[in-house]
Amino acid sequence: MKKLENRVALLTGASSGIGAVIAKSLSNEGVEIIGIARSEVGLKKTQMDIEANGGKFHSISFDVSDVSNLSQLKTKVENLVGKIDILINNAGIEEYNYFHNYTLEYVQKITSVNLIAPMEITRQFLPELLQNSGHIVNICSLAAKKGESFNATYSATKGGLALFTDALRQELHGSGVGVSALFPGLVSDVGMYSDSQVKAPLVLGTISSKKVAKSLIKAIKNNKPDVIVNSGPLRPLLAINALFPNFGNWFARITGITAFCRNRAELGE
Ligand SMILES: NC(=O)c1ccc[n+]([C@@H]2O[C@H](COP(=O)([O-])OP(=O)(O)OC[C@H]3O[C@@H](n4cnc5c(N)ncnc54)[C@H](OP(=O)(O)O)[C@@H]3O)[C@@H](O)[C@H]2O)c1
């Protein structure tokens, strides 16, 4: 998919954070957006920002953790705009904690929001994406490239999402549907890290939400597979870690990454 103008995108997590910024950037490219989230107030804010700029945005308030009822979301989207061309699975949650302190309910919830919902939404919308030569983007995380201590549930769901994306991309090769995975590092200006009381170690680096949105647009236009969005020197380190995981674990300890994650767990972030 080279041209984005006049395409219709379904974007989950559009009420705040990175999703709201992605919505504005896509709208600037001429994309009509259906934004999904639970917060009607948040969706309204994104809608007003986009409409003030002459763009088109429709809100559907929906809890994507209700995974057995995502066919209802499909019907709502059909009634609103008909078929979509682009699907962006962005909604996500995380909570740093000692693994034994998580509840089963939380493990089920994070798995539903971060992994089952993206898979089920993709399953529901794939037939029309195949008809429209569409594009799917799944927002993963660097935690999908190297597990993050004290964030094991999140790492598991994002790692699963990354491999789902990889498998689907191979399955859909030649179908006309592009499939991209984005792996952002810590986003400084909005979203789940921006109000953290703990400063990230220098080696992790931080990025802006605009950089994530820009990379996403490039990924769709150029049908890019895996896109790491980060400012630090992590790419070669991840390659070394893939060969020598003990080195990666040691590196995380001596550079303060493990302590950073532990501090976030202690603070209940
Ligand atoms: N921020 C970072 O540093 C960072 C780094 C790497 C990857 N990411 C990924 O980027 C994505 C966006 O994160 P963010 O930082 O923008 O987080 P955020 O500010 O907390 O926003 C999360 C979005 O997901 C929506 N959401 C959460 N639970 C939902 C549910 N059950 N049903 C429907 N929508 C739901 C939220 O809307 P409602 O609360 O209104 O439902 C909100 O719009 C996530 O997948 C995250 O894992 C973030």
Side-chain angles (χ1 to χ4, degrees):
M1 179 183 289
K2 295 250 176 329
K3 281 197 182 153
L4 292 181
E5 209 175 356
N6 297 324
R7 299 284 192 150
V8 179
L10 178 65
L11 167 68
T12 67
S15 62
S16 63
I18 300 170
V21 177
I22 290 174
K24 283 173 220 157
S25 299
L26 279 174
S27 175
N28 288 339
E29 295 280 329
V31 178
E32 179 174 349
I33 294 148
I34 306 119
I36 314 296
R38 291 163 303 176
S39 163
E40 287 178 19
V41 175
L43 287 170
K44 193 84 206 151
K45 186 173 180 315
T46 310
Q47 180 163 7
M48 276 161 55
D49 285 350
I50 286 179
E51 288 178 352
N53 218 16
K56 287 188 191 161
F57 184 94
H58 314 269
S59 305
I60 300 179
S61 171
F62 202 95
D63 183 343
V64 299
S65 71
D66 188 8
V67 289
S68 9
N69 285 321
L70 284 166
S71 59
Q72 288 176 14
L73 177 65
K74 172 97 182 344
T75 310
K76 284 174 191 269
V77 173
E78 255 167 26
N79 292 340
L80 208 58
V81 291
K83 294 187 185 351
I84 63 161
D85 306 294
I86 302 166
L87 167 61
I88 302 164
N89 286 305
N90 164 72
I93 55 172
E94 76 171 347
E95 187 184 302
Y96 286 79
N97 210 338
Y98 290 82
F99 185 67
H100 58 275
N101 287 344
Y102 287 111
T103 61
L104 173 61
E105 287 69 30
Y106 181 74
V107 174
Q108 285 169 329
K109 182 163 185 200
I110 191 170
T111 308
S112 294
V113 175
N114 292 8
L115 181 58
I116 302 178
M119 291 200 290
E120 176 57 8
I121 294 171
T122 303
R123 196 182 72 81
Q124 295 280 345
F125 286 91
L126 190 51
E128 64 199 65
L129 292 170
L130 283 163
Q131 278 174 17
N132 293 355
S133 296
H135 201 100
I136 301 165
V137 186
N138 290 327
I139 308 294
C140 301
S141 160
L142 283 182
K145 294 283 184 192
K146 170 76 180 164
E148 228 187 325
S149 51
F150 305 93
N151 208 4
T153 53
Y154 181 77
S155 303
T157 59
K158 293 295 182 175
L161 186 62
L163 280 187
F164 165 63
T165 315
D166 187 65
L168 190 68
R169 181 185 307 125
Q170 295 174 64
E171 186 173 323
L172 295 180
H173 178 77
S175 71
V177 177
V179 187
S180 304
L182 238 65
F183 298 84
L186 295 167
V187 175
S188 53
D189 55 333
V190 296
M192 45 179 62
Y193 166 68
S194 60
D195 52 5
S196 170
Q197 297 174 60
V198 193
K199 210 166 176 293
L202 274 182
V203 67
L204 282 180
T206 56
I207 43 164
S208 69
S209 53
K210 279 203 172 134
K211 186 167 176 178
V212 178
K214 211 170 153 191
S215 303
L216 178 136
I217 287 167
K218 239 165 122 181
I220 301 175
K221 283 186 177 169
N222 303 324
N223 192 16
K224 291 194 170 212
D226 282 3
V227 183
I228 291 177
V229 195
N230 197 58
S231 58
L234 280 194
R235 197 181 286 263
L237 287 168
L238 287 169
I240 297 170
N241 173 72
L243 293 171
F244 308 106
N246 270 335
F247 165 82
N249 300 343
W250 170 80
F251 185 83
R253 285 194 301 274
I254 61 138
T255 53
I257 296 172
T258 310
F260 164 71
C261 297
R262 189 187 302 110
N263 288 342
R264 294 194 74 182
E266 300 278 355
L267 288 165
E269 291 190 342

